[in-house]
Amino acid sequence: MASYKETLDYLYAQLPMFTRVGASAFKTDLHNTLALLEQLQQPQHTFKTIHVAGTNGKGSTSHMLAAIFQQAGYKTGLYTSPHLLDFRERIRINGAMVPEEFVVRFTEDMHTHITDIAPSFFELTVAMAFQYFKQEAVDIAIIEVGLGGRLDSTNVITPELSLITNISYDHKNMLGDTLPEIAAEKAGIIKQGVPVVISETQPEVQEVFINTAQSKQAPIHFADQEWMESSSAIEGHHLNLMLMDRQQQQMRKFQLDLNGQYQEKNVMGVLSAVKLLQQQGWHITWEHVGTALSHVKKLTGLRGRWDVIQQHPLTVLDVGHNEAGINEIVEQLGHVNYQQLHIVVGFVKDKEVEKVLPLFPGTAHYYFCKAQIPRALDEVALAEMGAAAGLQGHAYPSAQAALQAARQHAKPDDMILVCGSFFVVAEVM
């Protein structure tokens, strides 16, 4: 029997992987996924699911929902991507990662089918997750879309509920050049008669969702029209929120351990989802919700969302990398006290880096770096693009080297922020 490491080497080497080759690994139909699931006797229909799509916030939203179901006593599967440190982060039950033995055995059992079907890395991982959730008989699984929605490998489920976070420019080469085009891809997860929650009302794409929902007779809920924020404050490691349930004219207080200010929008989507789930007969109390939201990291193992890893200097990791994500980070920086800001940043080649760089604060010191993957943007090229956008700094061959330099230059009252790509954050961890 192969070892876990040998199995991963095989998966990474044999299968087209988006993180390595980019767009060519993205399949434009569900053929391979359906062929794999056919061999496994359709595991995706053996447990209940919630489907989460969107450009930013879908990871945080999926983890919050998983935490709530866990807290309410349900055996809860969680499928997310990409991973930061270990492949097994993608597939969890009640916060625990899929065992190495399962990954090895599944890959060996499917070996001939992998050769015949030639799936992408993501397609095989989705099939692996569904098979694991079936084997372990989960009560519910939260399934995060990989990319887009309509043609994403996860779009083979009929969920209890669909949830779409926000729409921003990302992966234009695959999802379309305009926000309505991108929204149409994400709206592809809306199913016949299945309620859909939209976390954030965005005037330019609102119609796309309303029209798709109508055509599918799917009840649609815009969460930020159902909830109103009356106060929010970051205190220590928590984000304290007071939200008004407009329908019931009732105030609810939450303390989130995901303390980025940008989580407000995500949490409204989660709360609207909870209300629908309660109506569907899931036994979730507001006490479950409150406890879960204050312990998401502990319950689910989530990392990399305004993740404070050191106090002096304050050192924060955040996987935000596209326009909306960077805007959220910059807004969050406005809530933090520091003398000088040091930013360690790296990107992958297919991101719209020129669009994003001007959003960064001009007063920070920059440590431009290159993640250790083939798709990473060269650090010298990035530093030149940064200079063109008015950002001053130096280039470093790796995220580790960049962080080391930032730590040497930073004083105790300064702040170090690591962001720009999942892979940069993963290397720093």
Side-chain angles (χ1 to χ4, degrees):
M1 196 164 176
S3 71
Y4 175 61
K5 186 184 177 310
E6 286 163 345
T7 302
L8 280 194
D9 289 345
Y10 163 76
L11 293 176
Y12 290 152
Q14 292 304 312
L15 307 180
M17 194 174 169
F18 183 70
T19 50
R20 197 176 63 238
V21 298
S24 59
F26 179 62
K27 300 295 203 302
T28 50
D29 60 56
L30 298 173
H31 174 82
N32 287 353
T33 307
L34 292 169
L36 288 168
L37 294 171
E38 180 75 25
Q39 296 302 330
L40 295 163
Q41 277 103 42
Q42 313 295 354
Q44 74 278 21
H45 301 318
T46 61
F47 49 88
K48 295 190 166 176
T49 54
I50 291 178
H51 209 182
V52 183
T55 307
N56 295 298
K58 60 181 186 287
S60 298
T61 296
S62 299
H63 284 79
M64 285 191 238
L65 285 167
I68 289 166
F69 276 105
Q70 273 170 246
Q71 191 62 37
Y74 290 104
K75 188 171 187 180
T76 308
L78 175 61
Y79 175 76
T80 56
S81 62
H83 61 271
L84 282 163
L85 301 176
D86 185 338
F87 167 80
R88 299 179 307 133
E89 292 166 31
R90 294 166 180 253
I91 305 171
R92 296 176 185 264
I93 294 178
N94 287 359
M97 295 190 283
V98 58
E100 292 182 359
E101 304 81 82
F102 183 87
V103 176
V104 173
R105 199 174 65 246
F106 177 87
T107 307
E108 290 198 341
D109 290 350
M110 294 297 284
H111 192 267
T112 43
H113 304 306
I114 294 171
T115 312
D116 295 344
I117 297 167
S120 72
F121 177 84
F122 190 80
E123 289 168 330
L124 188 74
T125 309
V126 167
M128 185 187 295
F130 289 166
Q131 182 66 5
Y132 182 57
F133 295 154
K134 172 188 172 179
Q135 176 190 300
E136 297 300 316
V138 298
D139 297 316
I140 185 126
I142 315 299
I143 308 295
E144 181 198 6
V145 165
L147 208 157
R150 184 174 64 94
L151 300 171
D152 188 73
S153 310
T154 62
N155 201 23
V156 292
I157 53 177
T158 303
E160 303 289 286
L161 181 79
S162 309
L163 194 156
I164 301 173
T165 57
N166 88 329
I167 305 301
S168 173
Y169 291 110
D170 211 353
H171 306 299
K172 277 188 174 180
N173 50 340
M174 290 168 281
L175 302 180
D177 289 330
T178 66
L179 288 181
E181 282 177 316
I182 296 172
E185 288 298 315
K186 312 271 182 197
I189 71 163
I190 299 175
K191 301 288 190 306
Q192 192 69 34
V194 175
V196 57
V197 171
I198 312 293
S199 297
E200 195 182 335
T201 308
Q202 295 172 271
E204 57 274 55
V205 295
Q206 197 176 351
E207 285 302 301
V208 175
F209 294 133
I210 291 170
N211 293 340
T212 308
Q214 276 175 346
S215 72
K216 296 273 168 76
Q217 291 154 330
I220 185 166
H221 299 262
F222 287 91
D224 55 358
Q225 297 173 24
E226 298 185 344
W227 297 87
M228 190 172 75
E229 179 214 298
S230 84
S231 73
S232 85
I234 294 167
E235 289 165 29
H237 289 291
H238 284 85
L239 172 66
N240 291 335
L241 289 178
M242 285 286 283
L243 298 174
M244 156 81 89
D245 178 338
R246 294 184 190 220
Q247 194 188 5
Q248 295 177 335
Q249 290 295 302
Q250 193 176 5
M251 276 301 205
R252 296 201 179 276
K253 188 178 177 204
F254 300 100
Q255 193 179 47
L256 275 66
D257 68 338
L258 302 183
N259 54 354
Q261 198 82 39
Y262 55 81
Q263 298 292 1
E264 286 172 23
K265 300 168 187 170
N266 297 330
V267 97
M268 288 184 192
V270 168
L271 297 177
S272 285
V274 164
K275 289 182 72 172
L276 288 167
L277 292 161
Q278 287 169 336
Q279 288 164 24
Q280 289 176 3
W282 292 89
H283 297 289
I284 299 171
T285 66
W286 290 106
E287 194 180 338
H288 292 143
V289 175
T291 307
L293 291 180
S294 61
H295 296 97
V296 175
K297 293 178 185 177
K298 194 173 89 194
L299 288 166
T300 66
L302 180 64
R303 297 286 312 270
R305 310 308 193 280
W306 202 261
D307 202 345
V308 177
I309 59 165
Q310 191 181 330
Q311 283 300 344
H312 299 287
L314 176 65
T315 308
V316 174
L317 315 179
D318 198 294
V319 293
H321 54 262
N322 52 28
E323 254 181 274
I326 297 301
N327 276 328
E328 304 283 17
I329 287 173
V330 172
E331 192 182 323
Q332 178 81 2
L333 287 168
H335 299 279
V336 185
N337 293 324
Y338 51 78
Q339 290 301 125
Q340 175 65 49
L341 179 59
H342 305 262
I343 298 184
V344 173
V345 65
F347 287 96
V348 289
K349 285 176 192 154
D350 56 356
K351 289 287 171 206
E352 306 217 310
V353 180
E354 269 118 336
K355 262 216 164 123
V356 171
L357 287 171
L359 306 174
F360 281 92
T363 51
H365 292 316
Y366 286 86
Y367 304 78
F368 300 103
C369 66
K370 180 184 175 189
Q372 305 305 295
I373 57 162
R375 249 174 77 225
L377 182 60
D378 176 76
E379 72 275 21
V380 177
L382 177 58
E384 284 168 6
M385 291 159 88
L391 309 180
Q392 301 307 310
H394 294 93
Y396 298 87
S398 71
Q400 288 289 356
L403 180 62
Q404 211 174 342
R407 282 188 164 147
Q408 277 162 359
H409 293 128
K411 298 186 171 63
D413 291 341
D414 289 357
M415 174 177 179
I416 300 172
L417 170 68
V418 181
C419 66
S421 136
F422 248 90
F423 309 102
V424 169
V425 169
E427 279 167 36
V428 162
M429 280 184 174

